[in-house]
Amino acid sequence: MKETVAPSGAELRARAEIDLAALRANVRTLRERAPGAALMAVVKADAYGHGAAACARAAVEAGATWLGTATPQEALALRAPESGVPDDVRVMCWLWTPGGPWREAIEAGVDVSLSGTWALDEVIRAARLAGRPARVQLKADTGLGRGGCQPADWAGLVAGALRAEAEGLLRITGLWSHFACADEPGHPSIAAQLSRFREMVAYAEGQGVDPEVRHIANSPATLTLPESHFDLVRPGIALYGVSPSPEIGTSADFGLRPVMTLSASLALVKHVPGGHGVSYGHHYVTPGATTLGLVPLGYADGIPRHASAAGPVLVEGKWRTVAGRVAMDQFVVDLGGDDPGPGAEAVLFGPGDRGEPTAEDWAQAAGTIAYEIVTRIGHRVPRVHVNEGNEGNEGNDPEEGSGR
Ligand SMILES: *Cc1c(COP(=O)(O)O)cnc(C)c1O
């Protein structure tokens, strides 16, 4: 059932296997959570390190009708024919800076987000040059305090956008916002942001805006907050099978399966005496005669240096811990006298059902969040996409995604 791409030389060092069947199952699970809403698969940052084009195609196969990115360059790459993303899928991006590729985005039919009048001015100028209307979504700052238009400036942005719409320079396709604390159920900011969002939407609609979509829900809101689903949900991390926060539940609690498995081949296994310092700074000293395994991954590959002396690795069925410091290209594990030999598989993280650690385990070891663990895996690590292409009836199989 699992089609594995034959490993090339580079993949023998290390590989991030991306299980697209798991991703498709996660998309279906999320759609069941938000049955009345369309789903935008957030594939920014190379799909959180999983490979944007392959993940976008898989998400679309499983029913996503929108794709979301941060930068316009990411959005334009999904619109390029090489991506294999069907033309009828909507693509939206939200992180613009002055002088951005507005005209290219308009010509590619990308929905662009506006948080302020500088962006409205630039998109109007580009729409005139392009000779076709821009698709714009107005972003409200309902309390996140990051991107988005402040309530006090909303009337001006809405009025300016409506004037341009009346001139045929743009179409206001969406009204949207983003949560600050959706991963902390019951946090008072959630209700406050929702009511502010409803007010700002009602104001814009009262002025004559007729959006295709209104949306605010990220992964935690998609999973836990049905009243936030509106017309569209925008999950990112949950697509990749990682829980947005261990406090609200594990991925298994939500029926999600981690998509990435990061593994490496041991580059060396050697016997060393007790009292031997290990790696830069000698922060680990072997407690007795033992064996050391050399894992050929380091911080250049996205392995956090903060996980020195803490990150877990599965070798031959046993959890081992990073011994001493993570270096740029490699780190060491104490194999406790076992000698699996060079080339033995070291699994850093995966779904967990072979006994391996998860990205969440690494997040805890490094004092960060699992989002960062998967997203930061470097380009030197090849992504090996498996289970590409819908398998016949998988959409009808209730067991799909619950583990194999
Ligand atoms: C990253 C992002 C998302 C997805 O967030 P997750 O927590 O990964 O689901 C949704 N909307 C915006 C604006 C984002 O930047």
Side-chain angles (χ1 to χ4, degrees), residues 40-44 48 68-70 92 94-95 139 144 146 176-179 182-183 215-222 233-240 242 244 371:
M40 176 188 289
V42 177
V43 293
K44 63 190 179 186
Y48 294 39
T69 70
M92 173 180 177
W94 44 77
L95 193 57
K139 183 173 190 189
L144 173 60
R146 198 177 67 178
W176 75 294
S177 189
H178 195 41
F179 280 117
D183 55 348
H215 50 108
I216 188 171
N218 55 1
S219 292
T222 303
V233 293
R234 282 193 326 267
I237 196 70
L239 303 173
Y240 310 105
V242 174
Y371 288 74

Side-chain angles (χ1 to χ4, degrees), residues 18 32 96 157 313 356 374 396:
I18 308 299
E32 283 163 20
W96 287 86
L157 182 63
V313 179
E356 74 277 18
V374 293
N396 304 323

Side-chain angles (χ1 to χ4, degrees), residues 9 123 164 231 235 278 298 310 371 377:
V123 85
D231 305 309
V278 175
Y371 288 74
I377 299 304

